[in-house]
C-alpha cells in the first residue's frame, strides 16, 4: 500500500467516523431544546424523561465527536502538511471561527449536562440554545473550508507564488452556501430519522405509551420538515457541480462521452473498460434538463478530461445513486407520515396511529439519513479527485513525506472500531435501562424545590 | 485605534495570542491531565474518594478546557502555516502518540461511568483514563522540548531532521517529565480547594511531593539546556532573560510555601503564575524563533491580510467566549468547599 493510499484511506475513515457524531451534535440539541421547552410549558413528565435520556446519550456522543474532531485537526497536518502549508494562510479564517464555535458548544454543554441542580429550569433550558446554534455554526465554518477545496477563491497565483490573499473571499467562496445548507438540513434529517426509528421499534414491541409516542413524534417531525427542502437544496448543489466541476458531474452521472441532450442514468454500473454505464434506467435528455435546465444542453463526459484528471466513476456514481435513492425514500416516508398524521387528526383512532406498517418503515429507515450523508460526502470528496484543491494542487503533492503511513492507518482504524463498539454497547444499555415510573405530573419545579431532579452527575 | 498594519505588530500580537492559548491550555487542560495522573496514583484508605473528587472536579469543564488545544492548533496553521507543516512532519510520532492519549483520555472519561454497569467495563476504562492522562503531557512536553532544542531542521520548506532523534534525546525527555509533573502539581493544588479534611491533606501532600519533583527536574534541565538547547540557554542568560529564572524560583517557592501553610487560594494563584511565567519565559528566551533555528516570526507568518482578519475573528470570538467562560466557572467553581477559612482548618 502506498503512503498516499494509506493517507487517503485514513482521512476518509476519520471523516466518515466524525461526521456521524458531528451530525448528532447538530441535531440532538435541537431535539433537546424542543422537548425541554415542551416540558417547561406543559409540565408533562414524559418530556422530562425524554430529555434526561437523550442528555445521557448526548454526553457520550459529544465526547466522541470532540475526540474524533481532534484527530482530524491533527491529521490535516500529519497527513497533508503541504496542503496545510499552502492553504492554512488562505482558508484559515473559518477554522479560527470554528474554534470559537467549539468553545461555546463545549462550555454550554458542560452547563447543560452538569447544571441540572445549579440552574433554574428556565436557565437550564436556555443553555441548550447556544449549543444548538454553535453546533450548526461549527458545521457551516468547516464546510466553508471544504467548499474552498472545491472552489478555491480569495488569492492569485503569480509565478507559482500565492499573492493577494483575501481571507473573506476565500471563506465565502462560491460553494460555501449550498454545501452548508445541504449539510445542515442533512444533519437534522438524519438525527430525526435516527431517533424516530428507535421509538418506532419500541412501539412495535408493545411499548405504545406516551413516552415512546412523544419521542417518535418530535423526532419524525424534525426530519419530515427538512426532507422535502433537501430535494431543492440538492438540485442547487447539482447545478453548481455541473457548472464548476464538470468532471465530478460526469463521474456522478456515469457519463463517458460528451453529448448534447444527455440522458439521466438511474442506477447502473459504470464499465470503465467499455467506457459506458451499463444496466441503468435511462431517461432521455433528463440530465441536460436537470443539470442545466435545458433539454439540449451539452454535458461533458469523462473522456473530455485527461485520464489523470478523471475521478473514479464507479465509486462516485454508485454513491450518488445511494444518496439520491435515500433522499427520495426519506421524502416518501415523510409524506406518508404527514398524510397519516393528518388523517388521524381528522377523527382517527389515536391508538391505531401510527399504523404498524408506517412504524416498520420507520424502523428500516433509522440509518437512512446517515447512509445518505456518507454517500454524499463520498460524491463530494472522491469526485474531487485527483485534486485536493480543485485545479490547483493534486492530492499526491500534498501527502506527508513521513514513511510507513500504514501503521497510523492501522492504529487509528483500531481506535475507531473500539470507540464505535463501546459507544454502541453503552447506548444500547442506556436504551434498555428501565424508565422512572410515570408519576402524577409535578409540573416544572421552582428553582428551590427539589422535585424531579437527578443528583449531580448527568452521566451518572 | 489605527489599524496595526505594520507586519511586525501583527505578528507580535498574534504570537502573544498564541502564547496565551498555550498558557491557558497548560493551566486548565494541564490540570485535567493532572487529575488523571492522581487517579492513576490514588493510594491509601481514601483512594476511591480521591478518584471521585477528581472526576467531580473535571467533569463539567474538561471539554471546554480541551478546546484551548484546538484553538492553538488552528491559530498555528492559520497564522504560521509553515510551522504547522514542519512540526506535523518532524514530530509525527510524538504528536500521534499524544493524540492517541487525548482520544483515550476523553473517551474513557465519558465511557467509564456508564460502563460500570458491566462486568469489568468500568475498571478497564478507569485504567485507560488514568494512563492516557499520564502519557499525553509526557509526549507534548517532549515535542515542546524538541522545538526548543533546535534539532528540527527545515530547509526550503523541507524537513530534514530525523523522525526519532529530535525528541528522543535527554533534553526533550526531561521536558516531557517536567510537563508531566507540572500537570500533577497544578491538579494537586487545585484539588486542595475542592476538598476538606483528610482528603484535602492527601492532596496537600501530593502537591508538596510533586512540587519537589518539579523543582528537581527543573534544576536538572538547566545544564542540559546549556548543551542541548543552546538558543534557550542564551536567551535565559542574557538581557531580560536574566530575570526569568529568579522570578520563576520565587514564584515556585511562594506557591510551595502557601501549600505548606494551607493557604490554598494563594497557592493556586502562585502556581498558575509560576506555570504562566515559565511559558512566558520560554517564549522570551526563544523569541523570535518559532521553531529553533529555521522558522521565525518573519519567515513563517501568513499574509498581513490574513493576520488582520484573524485578529478581527479573535476579537469577535472573545466577546462571546469570555462571558461564557466566566459563567461556566462561576456556576461550577465559585463555591469550592476547600476555599473557605483556610488557616482555621489546620488539624
Ligand atoms: C440526509 C442526507 C442527504 C440527502 C437526503 C441528500 N443529500 Fe446530497 N449530500 C449530502 C446529504 C444528502 C451531504 C452528505 O451532506 C453532501 C456531501 C457534501 C455536501 O455539501 O453535502 C451531499 C452532496 C451532494 C452533492 C455534491 C455537492 C458537491 O460536490 O459540491 C450533490 C450534487 C447532491 N448532494 C445532490 C443531492 C440530490 C439531488 C438529492 C435528492 C434527493 C440529495 N442530494 C439528497
Ligand atoms: C465529514 C464529512 C466528510 C467525509 C465523509 C469526507 C470523506 C473523505 C474521503 C472519503 C476522502 C478520501 C478521498 C480520496 O482520496 O479518494 C477525503 C479526503 C479529504 N477530505 Fe474529506 N470528507 C468530509 C468532509 C471534509 C471536510 C469538512 C474537510 C475540510 C475541511 C475535508 C478535507 C479533506 C482532505 C484535506 C482530504 C484529503 C485530500 C484528498 O483526498 O483530496 N473533508 N474526505
Ligand atoms: C462535514 C464535516 C464536519 C462537520 C459537519 C463537523 C461538525 C462538528 C460538530 C457539530 C462538532 C461538535 C462536537 C459534537 O457534537 O460531537 C464537531 C466537533 C469537532 N470537529 Fe468537526 N465537523 C466536520 C469536519 C471536521 C473537520 C474536517 C475537522 C478538522 C479540521 C473537524 C474538527 C473538529 C473538532 C476539533 C471538534 C471538537 C470540538 C470540541 O472539542 O468540542 N471537524 N464537528
Amino acid at each position: 500500500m502506498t503512503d498516499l493510499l494509506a493517507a487517503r484511506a485514513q482521512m476518509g475513515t476519520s471523516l466518515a467516523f466524525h461526521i456521524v457524531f458531528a451530525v448528532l451534535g447538530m441535531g440532538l440539541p435541537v431535539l433537546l431544546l424542543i422537548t425541554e421547552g415542551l416540558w417547561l410549558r406543559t409540565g408533562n413528565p414524559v418530556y422530562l424523561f425524554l430529555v434526561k435520556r437523550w442528555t445521557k446519550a448526548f454526553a457520550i456522543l459529544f465526547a466522541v465527536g470532540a475526540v474524533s474532531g481532534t484527530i482530524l485537526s491533527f491529521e490535516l497536518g500529519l497527513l497533508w502538511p503541504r496542503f496545510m502549508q499552502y492553504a492554512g494562510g488562505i482558508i484559515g479564517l473559518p477554522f479560527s471561527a470554528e474554534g470559537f464555535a467549539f468553545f461555546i458548544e463545549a462550555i454550554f454543554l458542560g452547563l447543560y449536562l452538569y447544571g441540572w441542580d445549579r440552574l433554574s429550569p428556565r436557565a437550564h433550558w436556555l443553555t441548550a440554545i447556544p449549543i444548538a446554534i454553535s453546533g450548526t455554526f461549527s458545521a457551516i465554518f468547516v464546510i466553508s473550508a471544504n467548499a474552498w477545496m472545491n472552489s478555491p477563491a480569495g488569492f492569485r497565483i503569480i509565478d507559482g507564488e500565492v499573492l493577494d490573499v483575501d481571507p473573506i473571499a476565500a471563506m465565502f467562496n462560491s460553494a460555501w452556501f449550498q454545501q452548508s445548507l445541504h449539510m445542515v438540513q442533512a444533519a437534522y434529517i438524519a438525527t430525526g430519522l435516527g431517533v424516530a426509528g428507535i421509538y418506532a421499534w419500541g412501539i412495535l414491541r408493545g411499548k405504545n405509551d406516551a413516552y415512546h409516542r412523544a419521542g417518535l413524534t418530535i423526532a419524525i417531525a424534525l426530519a419530515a420538515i427538512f426532507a422535502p427542502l433537501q430535494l431543492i437544496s440538492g438540485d442547487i448543489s447539482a447545478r453548481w457541480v455541473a457548472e464548476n466541476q464538470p468532471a465530478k458531474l460526469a463521474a456522478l452521472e456515469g457519463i463517458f462521452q460528451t453529448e448534447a441532450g444527455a440522458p439521466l442514468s438511474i442506477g447502473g454500473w459504470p464499465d470503465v473498460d467499455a467506457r459506458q454505464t451499463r444496466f441503468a434506467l435511462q431517461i432521455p435528455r433528463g440530465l441536460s434538463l436537470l443539470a442545466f435546465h435545458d433539454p439540449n444542453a451539452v454535458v461533458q463526459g469523462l473522456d473530455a478530461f485527461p485520464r489523470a484528471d478523471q475521478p473514479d466513476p464507479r465509486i462516485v456514481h454508485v454513491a450518488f445513486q445511494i444518496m439520491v435513492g435515500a433522499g427520495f425514500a426519506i421524502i416518501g416516508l415523510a409524506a406518508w407520515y404527514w398524510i397519516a398524521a393528518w388523517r388521524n387528526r381528522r377523527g382517527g383512532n389515536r391508538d391505531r396511529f401510527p399504523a404498524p406498517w408506517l412504524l416498520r418503515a420507520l424502523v428500516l429507515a433509522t440509518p437512512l439519513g446517515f447512509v445518505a450523508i456518507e454517500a454524499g460526502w463520498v460524491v463530494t470528496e472522491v469526485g474531487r479527485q485527483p485534486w485536493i484543491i480543485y485545479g490547483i494542487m493534486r492530492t499526491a503533492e500534498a501527502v506527508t513525506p513521513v514513511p510507513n503511513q500504514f501503521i497510523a492507518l492501522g492504529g487509528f482504524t483500531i481506535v475507531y472500531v473500539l470507540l464505535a463498539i463501546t459507544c454502541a454497547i453503552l447506548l444500547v444499555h442506556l436504551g434498555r435501562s428501565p424508565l422512572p415510573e410515570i408519576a402524577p405530573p409535578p409540573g416544572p419545579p421552582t428553582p428551590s424545590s427539589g422535585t424531579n431532579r437527578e443528583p449531580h452527575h448527568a452521566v451518572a | 485605534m489605527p489599524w496595526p498594519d505594520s507586519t511586525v505588530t501583527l505578528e507580535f500580537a498574534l504570537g502573544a495570542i498564541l502564547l496565551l492559548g498555550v498558557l491557558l491550555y497548560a493551566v486548565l487542560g494541564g490540570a485535567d491531565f493532572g487529575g488523571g495522573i492522581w487517579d492513576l496514583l490514588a493510594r491509601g484508605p481514601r483512594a476511591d474518594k480521591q478518584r471521585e473528587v477528581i472526576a467531580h472536579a473535571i467533569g463539567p469543564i474538561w471539554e471546554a478546557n480541551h478546546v484551548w488545544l484546538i484553538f492553538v492548533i488552528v491559530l498555528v496553521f492559520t497564522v504560521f502555516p509553515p510551522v504547522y507543516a514542519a512540526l506535523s512532519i518532524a514530530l509525527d510520532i510524538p504528536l500521534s502518540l499524544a493524540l492517541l492519549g487525548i482520544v483515550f483520555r476523553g473517551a474513557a472519561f465519558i465511557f467509564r461511568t456508564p460502563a460500570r454497569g458491566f462486568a469489568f467495563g468500568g475498571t478497564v476504562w478507569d485504567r485507560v483514563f488514568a494512563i492516557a492522562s499520564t502519557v499525553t503531557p509526557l509526549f507534548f512536553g517532549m515535542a515542546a522540548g524538541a522545538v526548543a532544542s533546535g534539532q528540527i531542521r527545515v530547509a526550503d520548506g523541507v524537513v530534514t531532521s530525523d523522525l526519532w532523534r529530535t525528541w528522543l534525546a535527554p533534553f526533550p525527555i526531561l521536558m516531557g517529565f517536567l510537563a508531566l509533573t507540572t500537570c500533577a502539581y497544578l491538579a494537586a493544588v487545585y484539588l486542595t480547594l475542592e476538598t476538606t479534611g483528610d482528603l484535602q491533606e492527601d492532596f496537600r501532600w501530593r502537591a508538596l511531593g510533586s512540587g519537589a519533583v518539579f523543582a528537581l527536574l527543573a534544576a536538572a534541565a538547566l545544564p542540559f539546556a546549556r548543551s542541548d538547547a543552546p538558543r534557550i540557554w542564551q536567551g535565559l542568560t542574557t538581557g531580560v532573560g536574566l530575570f526569568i529564572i529568579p522570578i520563576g524560583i520565587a514564584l515556585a517557592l511562594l506557591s510551595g510555601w502557601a501549600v505548606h501553610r494551607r493557604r490554598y487560594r494563594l497557592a493556586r494563584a502562585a502556581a498558575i503564575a509560576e506555570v504562566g511565567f515559565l511559558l512566558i519565559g520560554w517564549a522570551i528566551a526563544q523569541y523570535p524563533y518559532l521553531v529553533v533555528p529555521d522558522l521565525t516570526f518573519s519567515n513563517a507568518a501568513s499574509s498581513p491580510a490574513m493576520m488582520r482578519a484573524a485578529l478581527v475573528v479573535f476579537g469577535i470570538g472573545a466577546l462571546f467566549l469570555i462571558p461564557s467562560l466566566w459563567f461556566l466557572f462561576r456556576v461550577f467553581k465559585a463555591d469550592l468547599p476547600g476555599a473557605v477559612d483556610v488557616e482555621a482548618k489546620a488539624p
Side-chain angles (χ1 to χ4, degrees), chain A residues 249-388:
Chain A
L249 182 76
L252 67 82
E253 294 293 354
I255 304 274
F256 287 94
Q257 277 87 32
T258 304
E259 57 186 305
L264 183 69
S265 302
I266 298 175
W269 172 254
D271 184 335
V272 281
D273 298 320
R275 310 305 290 167
Q276 59 168 306
T277 296
R278 297 182 185 278
F279 318 119
L281 178 67
Q282 297 213 326
I283 300 177
R285 297 179 192 275
L287 177 57
S288 291
L289 192 63
L290 273 183
F292 297 97
H293 288 200
D294 166 7
N296 298 314
V298 176
V299 178
Q300 281 183 297
L302 277 173
D303 290 341
F305 305 90
R307 264 287 157 97
D309 290 357
Q310 296 178 10
D312 188 338
R314 290 169 298 190
I315 301 173
V316 182
H317 180 70
V318 170
F320 189 66
Q321 305 308 304
I322 293 175
M323 170 176 61
V324 175
F328 279 106
I330 293 169
I331 292 169
L333 198 58
W336 184 359
Y337 177 82
W338 284 130
I339 292 169
W342 175 73
R343 281 214 185 140
N344 176 55
R345 273 212 131 165
R346 307 191 37 196
N349 173 1
R350 276 224 140 233
D351 289 333
R352 302 218 3 110
F353 174 77
W357 276 108
L358 178 53
L359 289 172
R360 277 177 211 133
L362 285 172
V363 172
L364 279 182
T366 311
L368 210 53
F370 291 96
V371 170
I373 288 175
E374 300 284 2
W377 275 105
V378 169
V379 172
T380 303
E381 303 289 296
V382 182
R384 189 184 58 240
Q385 300 306 319
W387 304 102
I388 189 167

Side-chain angles (χ1 to χ4, degrees), chain A residues 11 15 18-19 21-26 58 61-70 72-73 76 95 98 102-103 105-106 134-136 138-139 142-143 183 377, chain B residues 63 66-67 70 77:
Chain A
M11 194 72 198
L15 285 156
H18 179 66
I19 193 71
F21 300 89
V23 160
L24 291 166
M26 295 156 74
F58 189 37
L61 295 165
F62 185 91
V64 179
V67 298
S68 60
T70 307
L72 283 168
S73 305
L76 285 179
F95 283 112
E98 197 199 14
F102 289 152
F103 262 127
E105 209 176 352
S134 55
T136 298
S138 57
V142 76
I143 297 278
M183 178 73 235
W377 275 105
Chain B
E63 306 208 78
H66 166 73
V67 184
I70 308 299
F77 73 57

Side-chain angles (χ1 to χ4, degrees), chain A residues 179 182-183 186 230-231 234 238 241 248 323 327 369 372-373 376-377 380:
Chain A
Q179 266 195 259
H182 202 55
M183 178 73 235
Q230 189 72 336
L231 188 61
V241 172
K248 186 189 275 180
M323 170 176 61
I373 288 175
W377 275 105
T380 303

